[in-house]
């Protein structure tokens, strides 16, 4: 393998074997190339078969990129059997293979955050607690316990305060519910495999033999249970490469522990550390500014990024009168630079701390016909009300869908409690049958009190009536009758924080029904389809189209079309752009008010560092002197982080320039002139 294009540190990281390795990879230092070529080197030079190599990261996007790059670095036949996945996909695959060990039957359901919240809400109502905030806190606490590797029994022993005692009690019941329903939640995808490894040494030995080399990307984002998974799989062999950067640890709010990097020295005494400090992305000005900022944080490992790309332009700091002025100036500068510097819209990114900051900016971009792409938006099909209705549709065409049944059996609430579902789940497991098929069996009804059996029977009758109507060709009428029959609109009203919110959610339901009608009409108008299908299969086909549409929407979110990228700082991690705007750099925004109260300023500084290091050539930092909140303008304070930037690398607009009002008018004139120039141009 030719490694001449890599620098000495990168080559050393690629070829190192024989002891655990930590690669401290600074922003833009080529870590993805290093980890992918190391995999190819392990196969081609170290002689490790691909089927015995596993690489894990955190996002599907990162996993796909890694897989594609490995495909370019090694032949297809060489990488056959290689595992490249997210942590959670790895855990899911392990549980599927070892379901019997884990006490799961095949086809077990996975509850997402919304599903879990609904279950916990019902469990807490049994304790006369009907408070969404309490439910959210309990859910967060249980998730934290799972991320720390704690079982319900351990949580009970640890809980001392009233809130934690309540959460621990709910954790016990929640765990009982999951086991009864043959289900796991998202956190279980890591916790359950680790529990298997803790208690079944033979199984751990089997997987240690299977994984002869493990690589972990973005290690600073691991939580406690993820670190334990890595440690159990590799501590004996030491066949481990970890890539991370403590300066880019920005996910403590979801359980990430940057201190995991420090613990490597203790758990792996022969650990070798290689620092990748040469940055291939940004100019010297941007890197030296980022270094100066992050130097205010304590460090586990010291490193200093450097670049051979040249000095570059100074960073611009732009105060504006209001948040509306801020959005307008950003739009103006994008248009100006696009024309004067011959840039594409896709060269620009606007980054911010919180999603709400994008609203005014979106209006300004729309007004001046600047195309943009908003990261982090909720897919139509990810909305709770749409997932409810899709689950009903799935049940209508496939009653054996346990996951869909579990989602909607108490939506709207039917007082089918955890105990009833536990009995149903246990009975279905004994019979090795889907949950729905077992509801009316005599053996099942005999285990329940008459009222519980009646409620289950009523639910099944509701579904069966709709299914019969489908079979006789009533199609949409059957679906609409079902929605009316369960008073789903009333349920949305009860579950929404306000009436306008309820109406918006009901509007989404109507949009889904209209999409179904349109697809069914198109099928009816197609002679080939009409002759080959009855109404039932037409509806099934329509649902498939909706699912496909969702997939296409997600692909659109990742396209490379010529649009300005809008993203939160969290969503921007791993991305890079020639020209970056970092907006709203004010106290209580960046650093965020919550972090100031919780004294987590260091993570906010790392977040600012991530924002700065997204820029390749130009960086503009903006803030508003007044920001509108609740209908009135409030004075703001520039972020403390601005004072930590080196004076020689920044240019403050307005300090040695025109009067601010004159400058504002000049900016508006420029914007108008540019917009006029673009009139008629396709954007």
């Amino acid at each position: 393998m030719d490694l001449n294009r890599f620098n000495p540190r990168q080559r050393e990281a690629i070829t190192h074997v024989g002891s655990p390795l930590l690669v401290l990879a600074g922003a833009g230092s080529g870590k993805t190339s290093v980890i992918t070529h190391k995999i190819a080197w392990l196969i081609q030079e170290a002689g490790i078969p691909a089927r015995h190599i596993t690489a894990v990261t955190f996002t599907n996007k990162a996993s796909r990129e890694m897989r594609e790059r490995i495909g370019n670095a090694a032949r297809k036949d060489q990488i056959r059997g290689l595992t490249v996945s997210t942590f959670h996909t790895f855990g899911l695959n392990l549980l599927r293979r070892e379901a019997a060990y884990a006490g799961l039957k095949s086809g077990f359901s996975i509850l997402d955050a919304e599903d879990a919240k609904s279950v916990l809400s019902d469990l807490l109502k049994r304790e006369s607690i009907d408070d969404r905030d309490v439910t959210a806190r309990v859910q967060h606490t249980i998730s934290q316990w799972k991320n720390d590797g704690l079982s319900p029994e351990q949580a009970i022993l640890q809980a001392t305060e009233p809130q934690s005692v309540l959460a621990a009690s709910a954790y016990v019941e929640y765990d009982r519910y999951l086991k009864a329903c043959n289900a796991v939640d998202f956190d279980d995808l890591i916790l359950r495999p680790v529990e298997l490894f803790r208690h079944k040494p033979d199984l751990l030995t089997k997987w240690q033999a299977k994984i002869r080399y493990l690589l972990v990307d973005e290690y600073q984002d691991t939580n406690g249970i993820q670190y334990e998974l890595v440690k159990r799989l590799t501590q004996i062999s030491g066949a481990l490469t970890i890539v991370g950067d403590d300066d880019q640890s920005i996910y403590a709010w979801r359980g990430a522990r940057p201190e995991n990097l420090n613990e490597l020295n203790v758990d792996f005494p022969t650990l070798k550390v290689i620092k990748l400090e040469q940055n291939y992305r940004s100019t010297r000005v941007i890197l030296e500014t980022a270094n100066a900022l992050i130097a205010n944080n304590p460090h586990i490992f010291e490193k200093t990024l450097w670049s051979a790309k040249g000095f570059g332009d100074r960073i611009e700091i732009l105060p504006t009168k209001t948040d509306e002025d801020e959005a307008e100036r950003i739009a103006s500068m994008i248009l100006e630079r696009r024309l004067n510097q011959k840039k594409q819209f896709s060269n620009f990114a606007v980054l911010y701390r919180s999603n709400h900051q994008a609203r005014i900016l979106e209006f300004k971009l729309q007004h001046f016909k600047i195309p943009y792409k908003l990261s982090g938006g909720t897919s139509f099909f990810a909305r709770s009300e749409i997932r409810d209705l899709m689950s009903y549709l799935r049940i209508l065409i496939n009653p054996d869908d346990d996951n869909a049944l579990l989602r909607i059996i108490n939506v709207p609430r039917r007082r089918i409690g955890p105990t009833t579902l536990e009995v149903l789940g246990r009975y279905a497991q004994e019979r090795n049958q889907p949950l729905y098929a077992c509801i009316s069996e005599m053996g099942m009804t005999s285990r329940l009190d008459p009222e519980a059996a009646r409620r289950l029977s009523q639910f099944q009758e509701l579904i069966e009536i709709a299914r019969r109507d489908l079979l006789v060709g009533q199609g949409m009428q059957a679906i609409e009758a079902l929605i009316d029959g369960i008073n789903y609109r009333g349920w949305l009203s009860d579950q929404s924080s306000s009436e306008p919110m309820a109406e918006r959610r009901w509007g989404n339901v109507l949009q889904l029904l209209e999409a179904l009608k349109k697809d069914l009409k198109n099928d009816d108008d197609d002679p080939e389809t009409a002759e080959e299908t009855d109404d039932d299969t037409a509806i099934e086909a329509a649902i498939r189209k909706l699912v496909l549409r969702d997939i296409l929407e997600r692909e659109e979110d990742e396209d490379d079309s010529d649009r300005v990228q809008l993203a939160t700082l969290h969503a921007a991690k791993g991305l890079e752009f020639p020209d970056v705007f970092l907006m709203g750099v004010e106290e209580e925004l960046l650093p965020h008010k919550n972090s100031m109260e919780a004294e987590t300023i260091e993570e906010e500084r790392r977040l600012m560092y991530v924002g700065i290091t997204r820029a390749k050539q130009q960086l503009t930092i903006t803030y508003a002197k007044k920001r509108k909140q609740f209908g009135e303008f409030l004075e703001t304070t520039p972020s403390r982080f601005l004072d930590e930037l080196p004076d020689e690398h920044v240019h403050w607009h307005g300090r040695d320039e025109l009067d601010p009002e004159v400058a504002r008018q000049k900016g508006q004139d420029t914007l108008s002139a540019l917009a006029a120039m673009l009139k008629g141009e396709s954007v």
Side-chain angles (χ1 to χ4, degrees), residues 18 107 152 157 200 226-227 229 270 309 322 356 361 363 370 377 545:
L157 293 174
K200 300 188 182 296
Q226 287 164 338
Y227 180 38
L229 178 68
T270 60
K309 281 187 160 298
T322 67
H356 69 85
L361 181 62
F363 286 129
I370 299 175
K545 288 181 182 178

Side-chain angles (χ1 to χ4, degrees), residues 26-37:
S29 62
K31 70 173 181 68
T32 305
S33 290
V34 167
I35 198 169
T36 53
H37 279 80

